[in-house]
Amino acid sequence: MSDAPILTVEHLMMRFGGIVAVNDLSFNADRRKITALIGPNGAGKTTVFNCITGFYRPSGGAIRLNHDDGRTIHLERLNDFRISKQASVARTFQNIRLFPGMTALENLMVAQHNALMRASGLTVLGLIGAPSWRSAERAAIELARTWLARVGLLDRADDAAGNLAYGDQRRLEIARAMCTEPTLLCLDEPAAGLNARESGALNELLLSIRAEQGTSILLIEHDMSVVMEISDHVVVMDYGVKIAEGTPQAVRDDPKVIAAYLGADEDEAIAVMEKAN
Amino acid sequence: MSVTPATSSHTSQPLGSAFILKKALISALVALVLFSLMIGIRTEAGNQGGLIYWTRFGDLATMVGVVFGGSIIVELLRQWFGPVETDKVVPKPVRAAMSFVGHWLAPALLAFALFVPVIFYHQRYILDLAILVLTYVMLGWGLNVVVGLAGLLDLGYVAFYAVGAYSYALLATNFGLSFWVCLPLAGILASFWGVLLGFPVLRLRGDYLAIVTLAFGEIIRLVITNWQSLTGGPNGVSGIPRPTLFGIPLDNSDDGLAAKLGIEFSPTHRLVFLFYLILAMALLTNWVTIRLRRLPIGRAWEALREDEVACRALGINTTTTKLTAFATGAMFGGFAGAFFATRQGFISPESFTFQESALVLAIVVLGGMGSQLGVALAALAMIGGFELFRGFDQYRMLVFGMAMVILMIWRPRGLVGHRAPTVYLERSEAISSDLVKEGHG
């Protein structure tokens, strides 16, 4: 068990043609901690996420994942499905991406694809119904059942994912990501569209995932009640660069952050703050 | 000026028998007005240039009656099955009957298929037709893996059918290999071509994928037509050996099956054998597909159809997943092709035109993408129906086009549109077709 940060982003750069979406961004995400990435709309948060999870190949910089077992994986060299398969980084999406025509249980079974593929002997053992495959399948269903219970969807297990309520879909997507047994869980706006009660439940879920699974969490969020309550470390971005970083309290009181959110000058922001206090 | 909720629900909800009767009466009245002049009175120029006319009230009454009855039937159908986005009010007995039929249809069809050669032993034509239908059932089930499960639109499926047929034909005529040796080889070769096609098209989606697969189908056909030295070009390959019952030929020679069993030889024996052969092959295809759906690979195919981006985020290698879908579908196509070659005894490129691809795709789409029973029913309707209308040669395509349009309005997701879950905790409930995605290619 090393104390090195789980994720180290160094001088990350992402260009789309002439537009620089992320410029020289460096930050760490600590092991078994919840790191929040915040910033106004268009600050480049989701672009950072897409670089980390392999949907974009960064134009420059390094993203290192330091595993518990001491392996260091350069995420910028992996792409596509390998990030999840080899580096065990899981993610959710800002606009929920479940498999709507499959049941909640099936969604969680698909998430265990790689483990089940090995167990089914690349389909051969599964086709002949070998006992080793049967027991692996039962174990996979058990894991799925555990996660359905954790997110409170056990009674909806056999319902189509597309038929679930919005908040339930959000939680199912987190459960699906957790079924890949990740070391780093990346959540893109998990509280978007949730009401106060639901986002409270989300906070508890994320804290319990950190405590029980020891999973490190990186999240993008607009809902400040989530960010301020559960995150251990906050990184603030604006126009593709990092403008502040620190504990939730420190960031909340940073004039640069307030200026970025209010779209005002720093001096004006300080004035606003003083008035508020 | 406020619209009461009662009025709005009044218009959207289908009503009882009074409403149906009223609607039918109005339709009949309109028909009466229209037809009274068109059918009721007939005029003609008389001998002296004068106008003579006579009435045909009998015909008129028949037509109006037909419109009246038809209107009632259409309205009932609309309320019970309904096109999409209408409320469906199905009376309980009808619903119970439909669920009963849904439950027992597949076993009944299978039992019937097993006895077809017994029932129609003396009707060669029907046996031939049954073999043809089963060939298309098998092709439909094979393509269903690619289109229905993985959601990849393949317009060149006939290419794999052709590869299978020519594999058997050439291996058997040149090297004297038996059908049972060539059958797996034909499947392997076809799936090899499936993988070869898969590689370049993996990056493509939707319409682009469809166009490339269409082109691939044409390329295979053109290569077969022009590679005269190997395939005989447009003349085809003839003298393809007939299948044997594990080495015992089904002919009237001294070591034929009839002679060995000491019964009188009849050409029907071979037909019956071919029928059970294709039935076994089709059922094998079905069994493997059903089995694959419950394995991680099959779930990955369906997940790919639902959302490719999410698949990648879950660590699923979309490239190999698509390739396996192509290869599996192609393999079944290859098996069917080998069967086609041995049944015909002669093959030429003419049998592998785009029309065949379109026909098989139509079977899959009409059947309900992903549904095994639906595909079988659609193959029966398409191929059997086509033969049924052979008498009205000119109108065959017209009737068929109309039937398809009506079916697509009534059941846009095919005959059996819903999806059965592959795994469940408490209860297995069919998933409505509204939720299931078609895939983006």
Side-chain angles (χ1 to χ4, degrees), chain B residues 142 145-146 152 154 157 160 186-198 292 301 319-335:
Chain B
V145 171
V146 186
L152 303 164
D154 184 352
Y157 193 62
F160 308 123
I188 290 168
L189 281 169
S191 61
F192 168 73
W193 281 102
V195 172
L196 271 195
L197 164 68
L292 283 176
W301 288 340
T319 310
T320 51
T321 306
K322 282 184 188 177
L323 279 181
T324 49
F326 259 112
T328 311
M331 182 180 72
F332 292 135
F335 287 153

Side-chain angles (χ1 to χ4, degrees), chain A residues 123-215:
Chain A
T123 307
V124 179
L125 287 178
L127 210 53
I128 58 172
S132 66
W133 153 250
R134 281 165 202 265
S135 66
E137 192 187 28
R138 270 197 300 275
I141 293 174
E142 263 329 292
L143 181 67
R145 188 202 289 271
T146 313
W147 276 105
L148 283 169
R150 284 277 294 272
V151 299
L153 289 172
L154 196 52
D155 55 332
R156 307 296 307 270
D158 299 324
D159 287 332
N163 266 343
L164 298 179
Y166 188 81
D168 292 348
Q169 294 197 5
R170 283 253 174 239
R171 289 204 307 284
L172 182 62
E173 205 188 13
I174 294 174
R176 189 180 67 178
M178 285 310 294
C179 273
T180 65
E181 308 198 298
T183 43
L184 178 65
L185 175 65
C186 301
L187 305 170
D188 198 346
E189 300 204 21
L194 300 189
N195 61 33
R197 191 177 53 78
E198 286 172 326
S199 71
L202 175 74
N203 285 354
E204 274 169 38
L205 175 66
L206 296 185
L207 288 173
S208 83
I209 285 174
R210 185 187 60 169
E212 289 171 36
Q213 267 66 40
T215 310

Side-chain angles (χ1 to χ4, degrees), chain B residues 205-225:
Chain B
R205 309 181 66 159
D207 312 347
Y208 305 99
L209 177 74
I211 289 169
V212 173
T213 51
L214 171 68
F216 180 76
E218 288 301 293
I219 288 169
I220 291 271
R221 191 173 59 82
L222 287 174
V223 167
I224 290 172
T225 311

Side-chain angles (χ1 to χ4, degrees), chain B residues 43-54:
Chain B
T43 55
E44 229 168 63
N47 290 334
Q48 270 77 46
L51 194 70
I52 50 170
Y53 74 93
W54 63 98

Side-chain angles (χ1 to χ4, degrees), chain A residues 11-49:
Chain A
H11 309 293
L12 181 68
M13 169 84 96
M14 186 71 219
R15 265 189 239 104
F16 296 104
I19 297 163
V20 181
V22 178
N23 193 4
D24 197 26
L25 179 79
S26 302
F27 71 91
N28 289 336
D30 287 329
R31 194 175 300 278
R32 274 178 282 284
K33 292 279 161 60
I34 297 177
T35 308
L37 190 60
I38 65 169
N41 286 331
K45 305 180 297 286
T46 299
T47 308
V48 173
F49 248 52

Side-chain angles (χ1 to χ4, degrees), chain A residues 80-81 97 100-101 106 114 158, chain B residues 306-307 312 315 419 422 426:
Chain A
D80 213 39
F81 70 95
R97 281 184 174 274
E106 282 180 303
N114 287 317
D158 299 324
Chain B
E306 297 283 316
D307 195 325
R312 278 155 54 192
R419 171 182 178 272
T422 59
E426 302 291 334

Side-chain angles (χ1 to χ4, degrees), chain A residues 55 80-81 84-85 89 91 93 97-103 105-106 109-111 113-114 116-117 120 123 126-129 133-134 137 141 145 148 154-155 157-160 162-163 176 180, chain B residues 287-288 291-300 302-319 321 419-429 431 435-437:
Chain A
F55 282 86
D80 213 39
F81 70 95
S84 170
K85 192 177 177 181
V89 174
R91 75 167 289 177
F93 295 87
R97 281 184 174 274
L98 288 167
F99 306 121
M102 301 173 92
T103 65
L105 178 65
E106 282 180 303
M109 294 294 280
V110 172
H113 176 79
N114 287 317
L116 283 175
M117 267 313 253
S120 71
T123 307
L127 210 53
I128 58 172
W133 153 250
R134 281 165 202 265
E137 192 187 28
I141 293 174
R145 188 202 289 271
L148 283 169
L154 196 52
D155 55 332
D158 299 324
D159 287 332
N163 266 343
R176 189 180 67 178
T180 65
Chain B
W287 180 81
V288 170
R291 196 91 199 194
L292 283 176
R293 264 195 81 209
R294 294 184 186 145
L295 289 174
I297 187 72
R299 285 205 197 99
E302 290 203 76
L304 197 69
R305 178 193 66 204
E306 297 283 316
D307 195 325
E308 190 176 339
V309 173
C311 278
R312 278 155 54 192
L314 294 173
I316 295 173
N317 187 340
T318 49
T319 310
T321 306
R419 171 182 178 272
T422 59
V423 62
Y424 58 92
L425 285 185
E426 302 291 334
R427 66 205 141 78
S428 175
E429 210 164 74
I431 295 168
L435 295 168
V436 181
K437 294 263 193 295

